[in-house]
Amino acid sequence: MSLKGKEKGIEDDATNGMNGENDTADTVADDPALDADNVRSLVLSYLLHHCYVETAQAFMQANSLEQKGAKLTVGLSERKVLLERVRGGDIVEAMATADKVFPGLLTKRTDVKFKLLCMQFIEFVRRGDNQNALLFAQQELNTYAQSDPTFMITLQEIFPLIAYEQPEKSPLAEYMSIEYREKVIATFNSAIQEHQGLPSEAPLETFLRHLTVAASVVQPDKPLAVGPVKHNT
């Protein structure tokens, strides 16, 4: 599903919050730490963290949260563009833009840069451009792999993709999947926000994760009713 489709799904959920009918708010109404304002803040931070720009703007307007969202929206449009470029396979362009918009990010986070470089190699393979994939691996990936043993392990894992006529049906098909690409995008997204001094994880997701752990300790034999946050795909 396109980003528009994803955002539409999120918007449907957020609308309930705008109308004050959100079930989550009712559930936590007795908890002073999670009053209606805090719940709205959690929802807003989630929308902005994942670049659901239009939905976040509508949510802020409906709940008078423009001031609270001001800090979280800094660099939001640029971040969204970068993530969409990676999603579209324009990895090198995304990295070049990141160096301009968020200087020092990829210099500091060599792990993220290497993941993006690996994605570029995978995109070459996906397009059937094995010649450029080979050159890219030799000139770019190998340089980074020499500096870190974990990078070398990753390179050794993905490089055989080049040998398959149908890599998406090979034993290494996981690297060709949308899920793998989205994991890289999520890592890039978190790194950008951490670089900006923002949480690397949406507070709502942190809260739910902690709630799940706490519930498993208090009632280990009783599953928690609250499930993980899921993105529409």
Side-chain angles (χ1 to χ4, degrees), residues 16-221:
N16 291 330
M18 297 178 192
N19 295 329
E21 299 295 332
N22 190 286
D23 292 338
T24 303
D26 293 337
T27 302
V28 300
D30 295 331
D31 188 341
L34 285 174
D35 58 21
D37 286 341
N38 284 334
V39 170
R40 293 189 188 99
S41 294
L42 286 172
V43 172
L44 176 61
S45 64
Y46 174 83
L47 294 172
L48 293 174
H49 181 91
H50 293 289
C51 295
Y52 297 116
V53 179
E54 294 180 6
T55 304
Q57 290 173 341
F59 189 80
M60 284 189 289
Q61 292 173 1
N63 293 280
S64 302
L65 292 172
E66 290 89 345
Q67 185 174 356
K68 183 167 291 188
K71 179 181 178 182
L72 297 176
T73 56
V74 174
L76 177 61
S77 59
E78 292 87 349
R79 177 161 54 89
K80 182 177 180 179
V81 168
L82 289 176
L83 301 184
E84 284 304 297
R85 283 180 177 171
V86 175
R87 190 170 281 115
D90 298 326
I91 318 297
V92 171
E93 181 64 26
M95 293 172 62
T97 303
D99 285 338
K100 296 176 182 177
V101 179
F102 302 109
L105 166 63
L106 296 180
T107 301
K108 180 180 179 181
R109 292 296 303 273
T110 55
D111 59 320
V112 176
K113 184 172 183 177
F114 186 73
K115 287 179 183 294
L116 292 170
L117 290 172
C118 288
M119 275 305 306
Q120 182 61 73
F121 170 81
I122 291 169
E123 286 301 322
F124 281 132
V125 174
R126 194 190 309 279
R127 299 167 192 166
D129 191 353
N130 286 350
Q131 183 175 356
N132 273 327
L134 178 59
L135 289 173
F136 191 81
Q138 292 174 335
Q139 297 174 1
E140 299 289 343
L141 290 177
N142 190 53
T143 301
Y144 273 83
Q146 297 295 333
S147 67
D148 190 313
T150 60
F151 293 171
M152 180 60 74
I153 292 173
T154 301
L155 176 56
Q156 291 172 345
E157 289 176 350
I158 68 171
F159 186 74
L161 281 167
I162 204 171
Y164 294 96
E165 290 186 4
Q166 294 182 301
E168 65 279 358
K169 296 181 179 180
S170 73
L172 303 176
E174 64 178 290
Y175 293 109
M176 306 294 294
S177 68
I178 294 175
E179 289 77 14
Y180 181 78
R181 181 173 61 192
E182 289 300 321
K183 285 180 181 179
V184 173
I185 290 172
T187 300
F188 189 27
N189 186 32
S190 294
I192 293 172
Q193 292 182 86
E194 186 176 323
H195 186 70
Q196 292 180 283
L198 299 173
S200 60
E201 180 181 55
L204 177 60
E205 293 170 317
T206 303
F207 169 73
L208 291 178
R209 182 161 46 80
H210 290 173
L211 185 61
T212 301
V213 172
S216 68
V217 172
V218 175
Q219 295 180 310
D221 299 325

